Amino acid sequence: MKHCALLTCESLEGYSVDEKPLEKALTQKNWSFDWIPWRKQGINWNDYEAVIIRTTWDYTKDPQPFLTQLHEIDQSQAKLLNPFN
């Protein structure tokens, strides 16, 4: 089974979110997934085949750490979707 990370915010309070269709589609395609806040440190991105940018709505409040995290993911073996560059 392939494994992917779905990037999100630490809190989605106040944001509109409907991720059930994505979760269902991934499950139907035999992908497992973890929701990971983009600010979380110490993640081994090599544990994932793909990392998908999803509900990272608060990145605009702190863009440089967000870009740094994307760069770290991009340097791993995981495929970053939506591409970093």
Side-chain angles (χ1 to χ4, degrees), residues 35-54:
W35 286 99
I36 300 177
W38 68 264
R39 294 178 186 271
K40 189 170 183 178
Q41 298 296 309
I43 302 297
N44 183 356
W45 300 110
N46 292 320
D47 289 342
Y48 299 95
E49 279 80 18
V51 178
I52 305 171
I53 300 170
R54 293 300 300 171

Side-chain angles (χ1 to χ4, degrees), residues 3-8 31 34 36 38 43-54 56 69-70 72-74 76-84:
H3 194 57
C4 71
L6 305 172
L7 288 186
T8 190
W31 280 76
D34 296 324
I36 300 177
W38 68 264
I43 302 297
N44 183 356
W45 300 110
N46 292 320
D47 289 342
Y48 299 95
E49 279 80 18
V51 178
I52 305 171
I53 300 170
R54 293 300 300 171
T56 57
Q69 185 74 293
L70 293 184
E72 181 179 322
I73 295 166
D74 193 51
S76 75
Q77 295 173 4
K79 182 171 184 163
L80 179 61
L81 305 169
N82 309 340
F84 180 60

Side-chain angles (χ1 to χ4, degrees), residues 16-31:
S16 178
V17 178
D18 182 14
E19 296 292 7
K20 295 300 178 195
L22 172 63
E23 292 175 351
K24 183 178 179 181
L26 287 170
T27 300
Q28 288 174 341
K29 296 290 185 181
N30 292 318
W31 280 76

